[in-house]
Amino acid sequence: GDSVTQMEGPVTLSEEAFLTINCTYTATGYPSLFWYVQYPGEGLQLLLKATKADDKGSNKGFEATYRKETTSFHLEKGSVQVSDSAVYFCALSAGGGADGLTFGKGTHLIIQP
Amino acid sequence: DAGVIQSPRHEVTEMGQEVTLRCKPISGHNSLFWYRQTMMRGLELLIYFNNNVPIDDSGMPEDRFSAKMPNASFSTLKIQPSEPRDSAVYFCASSRLAGGTSKTQYFGPGTRLLVL
């Protein structure tokens, strides 16, 4: 079945550091890919998405590119802030989001001032 | 606009009791999803509905779990009888089932369930 693998962390960085969170997936066909963020005590919020190969999703300084050849969707940000501290989930949907999402285990990101 | 509303936000109950979790999707959305989040298993899809009809319930753990969607603005997830291993955060999400290649799911704040 479909699966998502991501680094679990915690990942601890200093403010203004460069961030990469790796995500790879296994799926049949051409899934849509998502990054969600969860702040403490809250639900998940969509951060960005990409629906086809070579698409780049971006939002709030975060970017991720859908790489079909490496089945990856790594999350990057050039300069992180303390407010970026959260848990980040990579996810896929075979049905473009119309069916259920398959999530990775989540990466806990801690940004220190 | 109001987001996805879940109630209760926290529930503590004793083993063997019936638990009912409630969800109100975003107005106009016609797909609804129930997920469970635990430390061991992460986020798992339990069941989802399109236009109030259950489409895939293969993630429902066992017969003790049941979900209904009697109308477009309300869904319940029921556990009877509850067990300590059901302790988790249960999320409801909704989306618009429409044309296009990507349908964003919007999540509620979750119900944190503790079964003693």
Side-chain angles (χ1 to χ4, degrees):
Chain A
D2 297 346
S3 66
V4 175
T5 302
Q6 63 179 109
M7 50 199 297
E8 292 189 26
V11 173
T12 303
L13 296 172
S14 297
E15 202 165 23
E16 299 184 0
F18 184 86
L19 168 70
T20 300
I21 300 177
N22 290 336
C23 171
T24 57
Y25 68 90
T26 301
T28 55
Y30 303 94
S32 293
L33 301 174
F34 305 83
W35 277 100
Y36 277 82
V37 58
Q38 184 179 31
Y39 298 100
E42 298 184 11
L44 281 74
Q45 303 174 23
L46 179 67
L47 183 60
L48 53 84
K49 64 186 180 186
T51 59
K52 60 183 186 297
D54 300 325
D55 266 4
K56 176 185 283 188
S58 61
N59 186 28
K60 299 181 181 179
F62 291 89
E63 294 182 340
T65 301
Y66 190 141
R67 300 289 189 197
K68 188 175 187 302
E69 64 276 12
T70 55
T71 62
S72 65
F73 193 54
H74 305 321
L75 182 68
E76 297 181 335
K77 186 175 185 182
S79 176
V80 293
Q81 306 300 312
V82 172
S83 58
D84 293 327
S85 299
V87 181
Y88 293 80
F89 293 90
C90 185
L92 69 81
S93 169
D99 58 350
L101 293 166
T102 298
F103 285 93
K105 289 292 183 68
T107 300
H108 186 194
L109 176 65
I110 301 170
I111 307 301
Q112 297 177 333
Chain B
D1 286 342
V4 175
I5 299 173
Q6 292 187 247
S7 65
R9 293 292 309 274
H10 302 272
E11 177 80 26
V12 180
T13 191
E14 293 187 346
M15 183 174 63
Q17 295 299 305
E18 178 179 293
V19 175
T20 299
L21 311 181
R22 298 173 175 79
C23 176
K24 177 179 171 57
I26 292 172
S27 178
H29 283 190
N30 46 13
S31 290
L32 185 139
F33 306 81
W34 283 100
Y35 292 89
R36 179 172 67 175
Q37 184 179 35
T38 62
M39 289 293 291
M40 291 298 295
R41 300 175 66 89
L43 274 156
E44 304 173 283
L45 175 70
L46 299 178
I47 185 172
Y48 78 94
F49 298 81
N50 286 343
N51 295 316
N52 313 336
V53 176
I55 302 300
D56 183 358
D57 65 354
S58 60
M60 296 286 265
E62 47 197 275
D63 292 345
R64 297 185 297 106
F65 286 69
S66 62
K68 294 182 179 180
M69 192 164 187
N71 57 61
S73 58
F74 183 66
S75 177
T76 59
L77 178 67
K78 185 175 294 187
I79 308 172
Q80 167 62 20
S82 58
E83 297 182 2
R85 60 192 168 122
D86 302 330
S87 299
V89 181
Y90 291 82
F91 288 103
C92 177
S94 71
S95 68
R96 194 184 305 274
L97 184 63
T101 57
S102 181
K103 295 111 180 133
T104 299
Q105 293 185 24
Y106 295 86
F107 282 73
T111 294
R112 186 174 296 275
L113 173 65
L114 177 61
V115 183
L116 302 174

